[in-house]
Amino acid sequence: MKALIDHPVADWVYRRANERLTGRALACAVNARNHLVRAQRIADAEISRTIAYFCVTHATEEAVACVIAAAKENGYKSLAGRVNIRDRAQKAVVASYAQIIADHAEELGLSVALNPATDDVLVKARSDEKEVGYPLGLRLFSFNEDGQNPSSDAAHDAFVSRFPDVETMVDYVQKRASFRDNALYARDGGAPDLSPEQLNIGLREHTLLTLSLIWAAMDVTTHKEPEPFVVQILGAISAVIDVVRPPKVCKHCGK
């Protein structure tokens, strides 16, 4: 984990976050970074694997709040406003989508690197046996073959298709939303105890998610008009949330 949070790209994310983000988005980014540092220190000192895990998962939740706040402030208010960042299940849906994108990028062999000359981050990919670098931006991604198509159907299917049925999907989101409690509190079966291997996996996963979400929040601030990929993602997140957290219906009027 230390190698990740001290990486030049991570340092770039921290610096640019302070420059680009404002208000709640900036506060959440700072909170997220602080919890990453706490998680590392607690893990390195072997004080408590459970508390280290709590800190790193809380960092991810703060990063989710960061990207949603930034989206609301930068042209995506109608879509981002559908996400209640006080609801852990809804934040779990956002984090799950970030995980899907990260997994896909890893499958494609994409990597990121800092270009010191321009003080910007490049995404590197293989093309015709050559490594090609592009300025990293959300505009590079799309769930649709037509990158300008804002439809969220494919993005929605990318998440839903991971599960055999809707009930399993809802159960997954609920478990992800409560995993911190499960890691912290004793149950009838006894007290939780993460193994060193489980902690290392969790630290790496949540550190990458946290940094990616903060970066996405920064990227959103540069959009002069809504990017199709962001519209795809936010639309799909909203659709999944409607299933996980169906709108309440008044028992009197039915609305």
Side-chain angles (χ1 to χ4, degrees), residues 18 76 78 100 112 115 121 136 142 172-173 181 199 214 255:
N18 284 320
Y76 302 94
S78 62
I100 289 173
V112 295
N115 182 351
V121 170
L136 183 60
S142 178
Y172 166 82
V173 172
D181 292 343
L199 176 61
I214 295 173
K255 295 183 180 179

Side-chain angles (χ1 to χ4, degrees), residues 67-84:
V67 73
I68 294 300
K72 286 180 180 178
E73 295 169 2
N74 291 277
Y76 302 94
K77 187 173 183 178
S78 62
L79 286 171
R82 299 176 189 174
V83 181
N84 179 0

Side-chain angles (χ1 to χ4, degrees), residues 52-72:
Y53 187 71
F54 171 84
C55 287
V56 78
T57 54
H58 188 69
T60 300
E61 288 201 352
E62 287 288 334
V64 167
C66 170
V67 73
I68 294 300
K72 286 180 180 178

Side-chain angles (χ1 to χ4, degrees), residues 9-77:
V9 172
D11 179 68
W12 177 87
V13 169
Y14 305 145
R15 287 190 292 105
R16 287 298 181 90
N18 284 320
E19 295 170 4
R20 294 183 183 176
L21 300 179
T22 59
R24 185 166 194 170
L26 176 58
C28 290
V30 171
N31 290 339
R33 182 184 184 278
N34 288 344
H35 276 84
L36 287 183
V37 173
R38 291 188 186 105
Q40 178 205 313
R41 290 175 177 172
I42 292 169
D44 288 348
E46 298 184 354
I47 296 172
S48 169
R49 291 194 291 268
T50 299
I51 300 303
Y53 187 71
F54 171 84
C55 287
V56 78
T57 54
H58 188 69
T60 300
E61 288 201 352
E62 287 288 334
V64 167
C66 170
V67 73
I68 294 300
K72 286 180 180 178
E73 295 169 2
N74 291 277
Y76 302 94
K77 187 173 183 178

Side-chain angles (χ1 to χ4, degrees), residues 147-203:
Q148 296 304 307
N149 180 1
S151 170
S152 62
D153 292 346
H156 178 262
D157 291 345
F159 185 78
V160 175
S161 63
R162 293 191 163 205
F163 308 97
D165 50 54
V166 172
E167 290 74 17
T168 305
M169 179 186 75
V170 173
D171 184 59
Y172 166 82
V173 172
Q174 298 295 349
K175 285 181 178 177
R176 187 171 182 120
S178 60
F179 64 142
R180 284 197 315 179
D181 292 343
N182 294 333
L184 282 173
Y185 301 115
R187 308 286 178 178
D188 292 341
D193 184 24
L194 289 171
S195 70
E197 292 75 18
Q198 288 174 316
L199 176 61
N200 286 334
I201 292 171
L203 290 175

Side-chain angles (χ1 to χ4, degrees), residues 9 56 93 118 131:
V9 172
V56 78
V93 174
T118 60
E131 189 173 64

